[in-house]
Amino acid sequence: MEDQPIAVAGALTICAAFIFMAFPGIDLVVSRWAASAAGDFPLSREPALRALRDFNRVLPVFILPSVLALLIIQTITPHPRLLRPHKALFFLTFYAVGPGLLIQTLKRMVGRARPYDITDFGGSLPFTPAWQVSSACSRSCSFASGESATAIALVALALLLPVRWQRMAIVALIPSILAFSLNRIVFGAHFLSDVVLAWLLMLADDVALVGLPRQWRTHRCRRSTARAAAKSVDRH
């Protein structure tokens, strides 16, 4: 039962990856919906949408140092308790492993060209499905979406709140997560699969990190039980 959330998150990620790899045309259809007849992405020039993109980019610059500062302050001065230290450590670790390490590694390894760079939309690079390794892009590549990863990381931020407020905060964050993420599609900066798989990878990262302490405690308990049983056998 303890491994069930991890298994579900992993299964969802694998299923979504299979769908996008088996039917790569989904990405092109969605991107064409956002493109003009000339092949460019006109909404990328809208000031309001550009401001939304920029706001999503600067959020981590304020949130991460703030959480780290609160953690340090509480370490030095235990009162008042602004947040629980283990929750702050979880959030910082989640952000470092997910949007930081995992997403940036995938961008470099997969090398998928962005929609506005492929031949279908007036660019010069080939289209490749999600997860297919390509040499089309060498830096700041399309798969997976970093902005979508940082957007859904806001859910982990909600976990810093008291339990009674967490569900309400997560529900309130959903419109922002959708707006930040889908904005990248209408800009021609990411395919639908870049966004959806970034969400699911962050979900898998989240539940895996949540489950690690529980698994560690279970492992220690089993080892202690085994040692106690061995000592009992030795006495007899």
Side-chain angles (χ1 to χ4, degrees), residues 55-66 95 150:
F55 180 64
N56 184 32
R57 288 180 173 178
V58 301
L59 269 179
V61 178
F62 291 100
I63 292 174
L64 293 174
S66 298
Y95 213 100
T150 56

Side-chain angles (χ1 to χ4, degrees), residues 2-235:
E2 292 179 354
D3 295 333
Q4 187 174 2
I6 299 175
V8 171
L12 287 173
T13 306
I14 291 170
C15 287
F18 174 80
I19 291 171
F20 283 114
M21 292 177 72
F23 305 100
I26 295 173
D27 277 333
L28 293 174
V29 168
V30 173
S31 292
R32 285 195 185 101
W33 171 79
S36 68
D40 66 339
F41 293 86
L43 290 177
S44 65
R45 297 186 289 273
E46 288 293 327
L49 295 182
R50 293 178 71 87
L52 184 66
R53 176 204 60 188
D54 294 340
F55 180 64
N56 184 32
R57 288 180 173 178
V58 301
L59 269 179
V61 178
F62 291 100
I63 292 174
L64 293 174
S66 298
V67 174
L68 180 59
L70 287 174
L71 180 61
I72 294 172
I73 290 170
Q74 289 204 169
T75 302
I76 300 172
T77 308
H79 301 287
R81 292 186 63 85
L82 300 174
L83 55 82
R84 294 183 179 274
H86 72 278
K87 288 186 175 182
L89 284 172
F90 166 79
F91 175 74
L92 294 172
T93 303
F94 167 77
Y95 213 100
V97 173
L101 180 62
L102 178 58
I103 296 299
Q104 296 307 315
T105 299
L106 283 174
K107 283 180 176 291
R108 288 173 172 80
M109 287 181 59
V110 176
R112 188 186 200 187
R114 294 181 183 271
Y116 53 59
D117 286 329
I118 67 172
T119 55
D120 300 69
F121 301 108
S124 59
L125 300 177
F127 167 77
T128 53
W131 289 108
Q132 180 174 312
V133 176
S134 170
S135 59
C137 174
S138 59
R139 61 182 299 275
S140 188
C141 304
S142 189
F143 184 81
S145 172
E147 287 88 348
S148 299
T150 56
I152 205 164
L154 294 174
V155 171
L157 182 65
L159 299 180
L160 298 179
L161 300 172
V163 175
R164 64 181 180 277
W165 295 344
Q166 288 178 5
R167 183 174 297 180
M168 185 184 302
I170 291 172
V171 171
L173 284 170
I174 288 176
S176 296
I177 293 170
L178 290 173
F180 290 146
S181 301
L182 300 181
N183 194 38
R184 304 305 291 150
I185 296 176
V186 301
F187 266 50
H190 286 289
F191 294 104
L192 177 64
S193 58
D194 299 332
V195 169
V196 172
L197 288 169
W199 287 345
L200 292 174
L201 287 168
M202 292 307 97
L203 174 63
D205 177 31
D206 188 12
V207 297
L209 288 176
V210 168
L212 279 178
R214 188 183 301 114
Q215 292 176 3
W216 182 71
R217 288 193 299 268
T218 301
H219 179 66
R220 284 192 63 187
C221 181
R222 288 173 179 172
R223 287 184 62 182
S224 299
T225 303
R227 287 174 183 171
K231 288 180 180 178
S232 177
V233 171
D234 291 340
R235 291 194 188 101

